[in-house]
């Protein structure tokens, strides 16, 4: 997918009503109060030999940076929110409200915008075990942890 496709997907998620129960789509999961989408998947960012994985990770990071620039132009500078305290609370047994459990468990920080009464979060999942990464988006009315 191109950056233009990513922007179209984000705009589509922002325009959609939230379902009354959790459902899977081709790009992610939606539920009461949220939509999620994985823009770049691990099977795209990290398969193959080490050299290919490093190149694919660099491409994933470049896509993240390009999307960040465009979203910042649209909505202003995002809040950058570290999730370490939420990770500590999860480790102590706290249950995070959907859609926040997965990003809190798998990334270091979120980039957040508040637009038209909804949170838009861009999530970059970097895997240390291999050079791949994943880029996700969340559109929600559920406040971040």
């Amino acid at each position: 997918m191109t950056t233009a496709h990513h922007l179209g997907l984000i705009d589509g998620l922002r325009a959609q009503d939230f379902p009354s129960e959790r459902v899977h789509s081709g790009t992610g999961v939606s539920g009461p109060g949220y939509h999620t989408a994985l823009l770049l998947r691990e099977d795209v960012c990290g398969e193959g030999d080490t050299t290919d994985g490093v190149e694919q990770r660099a491409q994933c990071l470049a896509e993240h940076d390009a999307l960040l620039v465009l979203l910042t132009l649209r909505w202003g500078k995002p809040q950058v929110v570290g999730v370490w305290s939420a990770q500590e609370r999860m480790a102590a047994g706290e249950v995070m409200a959907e859609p926040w459990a997965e990003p809190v468990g798998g990334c270091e920080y979120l980039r957040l915008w508040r637009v038209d009464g909804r949170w838009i979060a861009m999530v970059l999942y970097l895997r240390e075990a291999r050079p791949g990464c994943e880029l996700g988006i969340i559109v929600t009315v559920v406040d971040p942890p």
Side-chain angles (χ1 to χ4, degrees):
M1 251 192 228
T2 66
T3 304
H5 287 106
H6 296 322
L7 291 172
L9 178 62
I10 292 166
D11 290 340
L13 292 175
R14 290 183 55 229
Q16 287 180 18
D17 291 332
F18 299 116
S20 59
E21 59 186 52
R22 185 178 167 96
V23 294
H24 292 272
S25 69
T27 57
V29 177
S30 294
Y34 68 91
H35 299 295
T36 68
L38 198 54
L39 304 177
L40 294 175
R41 297 179 186 273
E42 186 67 28
D43 61 348
V44 174
C45 301
E47 294 296 321
D49 68 28
T50 304
T51 303
D52 287 343
V54 170
E55 290 171 4
Q56 289 170 341
R57 183 175 181 142
Q59 179 60 39
C60 185
L61 293 170
E63 184 64 30
H64 166 271
D65 293 348
L67 190 57
L68 178 61
V69 167
L70 294 173
L71 294 178
T72 299
L73 287 172
R74 281 183 171 190
W75 301 319
K77 188 174 179 180
Q79 297 177 46
V80 179
V81 178
V83 296
W84 65 269
S85 65
Q87 290 170 341
E88 292 291 321
R89 295 191 328 257
M90 279 181 68
E94 183 177 332
V95 176
M96 290 289 142
E98 291 293 343
W100 300 112
E102 184 177 338
V104 164
C107 72
E108 293 181 28
Y109 60 88
L110 303 168
R111 296 196 188 266
L112 293 169
W113 292 267
R114 183 82 169 163
V115 181
D116 299 329
R118 294 184 176 191
W119 290 103
I120 294 96
M122 190 166 65
V123 185
L124 182 64
Y125 302 97
L126 297 174
R127 310 292 186 221
E128 291 186 26
R130 59 181 183 226
C133 70
E134 295 174 345
L135 180 60
I137 200 81
I138 298 169
V139 176
T140 185
V141 293
V142 179
D143 288 336

